[in-house]
Amino acid sequence: MPNPTRLRDSTQIELPCRSLEGIQDDLEAEHTVTVIQPEGQQCRIIGSPIEIKAASDFLSRHGVTLP
């Protein structure tokens, strides 16, 4: 049985919402992900493991440091 924490880490990215300012529309247009912006300061990007890897690369290319 897969480890739930490892599975969650491969299907989502959590980062401050301000990190997505100016690039969120491009991220969602280029990758099949969902961005959840709750009331707090943390946003979650959710997608398949392949899309999360691609989104991570996209964010890195745009200067976003991932936790």
Side-chain angles (χ1 to χ4, degrees), residues 9-10 12-13 15 19-20 23 26-28 30-31 33 45 48-67:
D9 289 345
S10 69
Q12 73 178 8
I13 299 170
L15 67 167
S19 300
L20 296 176
I23 62 170
D26 292 337
L27 173 68
E28 291 179 303
E30 289 184 33
H31 305 285
V33 295
I45 302 169
S48 72
I50 293 170
E51 288 295 330
I52 290 298
K53 172 70 171 124
S56 176
D57 293 343
F58 173 90
L59 293 168
S60 294
R61 285 193 310 274
H62 286 85
V64 176
T65 304
L66 300 178

Side-chain angles (χ1 to χ4, degrees), residues 28-49:
E28 291 179 303
E30 289 184 33
H31 305 285
T32 308
V33 295
T34 301
V35 178
I36 298 175
Q37 299 179 348
E39 296 288 327
Q41 296 295 317
Q42 289 290 103
C43 285
R44 290 189 316 162
I45 302 169
I46 300 171
S48 72

